[in-house]
């Protein structure tokens, strides 16, 4: 039976490249001259932005988002936390979400079942596997989910006939 998996993954190598490019751009931008600002990636999915003022953090976040889009990473996966003071500087944490949690997986399964297509969705850990008798039904599910407004970027892989 044909099947495919619905996942939400971020290419970690491209993420680290976008953080490095953002750090390089900080050194060349005129509005950040003489400012102690930086991006630090701790772990795989944690980015800490440090700057002298909170309005600069907004500019830094936009800088990071544009670098991520250029590298093919969907910015819907970012979870931006509130900024906080740390001595003379202001810090802000950005978490890159990966995988589908239970609520998101249940929401996707409900959307597929409400479409009344002849497919069977099943939650398997951090992914949803969709099986059906016809390949066309699976392609309709992919088209429907692409049009739907989900709060996470979705990828469709492991398509088997």
């Amino acid at each position: 039976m044909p099947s495919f998996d619905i996942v939400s993954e971020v290419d970690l190598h491209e993420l680290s490249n976008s953080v490095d490019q953002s750090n390089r751009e900080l050194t060349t931008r005129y509005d950040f001259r003489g400012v102690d600002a930086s991006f630090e990636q701790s772990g795989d999915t944690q980015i800490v932005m440090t700057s002298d003022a909170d309005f600069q953090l907004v500019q830094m976040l936009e800088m990071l988002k544009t670098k991520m889009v250029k590298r093919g990473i969907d910015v819907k996966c970012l979870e931006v936390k509130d900024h906080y003071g740390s001595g003379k500087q202001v810090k802000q944490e950005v978490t890159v979400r990966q995988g589908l949690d239970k609520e998101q997986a249940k929401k996707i399964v409900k959307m597929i079942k409400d479409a009344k297509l002849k497919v069977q969705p099943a939650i398997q850990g951090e992914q949803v596997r969709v099986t059906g008798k016809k390949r066309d039904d699976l392609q309709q599910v992919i088209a429907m989910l692409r049009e739907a407004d989900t709060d996470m970027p979705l990828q469709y892989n492991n398509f088997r006939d």
Side-chain angles (χ1 to χ4, degrees):
M1 283 201 11
S3 68
F4 72 94
D5 294 334
I6 303 169
V7 296
S8 179
E9 297 173 342
V10 174
D11 188 359
L12 298 176
H13 184 68
E14 294 295 337
L15 178 67
S16 65
N17 284 342
S18 60
V19 170
D20 290 341
Q21 282 184 343
S22 299
N23 265 327
R24 264 188 246 120
E25 186 175 333
L26 278 177
T27 61
T28 61
R29 283 195 34 175
Y30 181 75
D31 52 345
F32 283 97
R33 289 257 163 86
V35 176
D36 189 21
S38 67
F39 293 92
E40 295 175 26
Q41 186 174 1
S42 58
D44 285 338
T45 60
Q46 195 74 13
I47 301 168
V48 179
M49 301 185 303
T50 307
S51 180
D52 290 343
D54 56 351
F55 71 91
Q56 291 171 337
L57 289 176
V58 176
Q59 294 172 334
M60 289 173 67
L61 183 62
E62 287 303 313
M63 191 186 313
L64 179 66
K65 284 182 180 180
T66 56
K67 298 297 179 193
M68 289 174 74
V69 168
K70 284 182 182 177
R71 294 218 153 254
I73 300 174
D74 197 343
V75 294
K76 284 196 271 182
C77 66
L78 294 180
E79 181 181 326
V80 181
K81 298 181 179 160
D82 291 336
H83 62 278
Y84 57 92
S86 174
K88 291 182 178 179
Q89 293 187 324
V90 182
K91 293 186 177 188
Q92 187 170 21
E93 293 181 4
V94 178
T95 305
V96 180
R97 299 180 293 171
Q98 287 203 111
L100 298 172
D101 61 1
K102 285 195 173 192
E103 288 87 40
Q104 292 167 332
K106 286 179 183 179
K107 182 179 172 185
I108 290 171
V109 168
K110 186 176 183 327
M111 288 170 55
I112 293 171
K113 286 187 176 182
D114 289 345
K116 304 273 187 202
L117 296 170
K118 294 182 179 180
V119 295
Q120 291 81 34
I123 300 172
Q124 294 181 342
E126 292 186 342
Q127 66 185 13
V128 177
R129 174 157 293 164
V130 181
T131 58
K133 290 184 179 177
K134 295 183 182 175
R135 185 177 184 170
D136 293 338
D137 292 338
L138 298 179
Q139 290 173 339
Q140 283 180 334
V141 170
I142 292 174
M144 178 202 56
L145 288 174
R146 283 200 173 130
E147 291 175 9
D149 185 30
T150 58
D151 57 343
M152 285 288 286
L154 300 177
Q155 291 88 29
Y156 313 97
N157 59 13
N158 208 8
F159 198 98
R160 298 200 174 150
D161 244 344

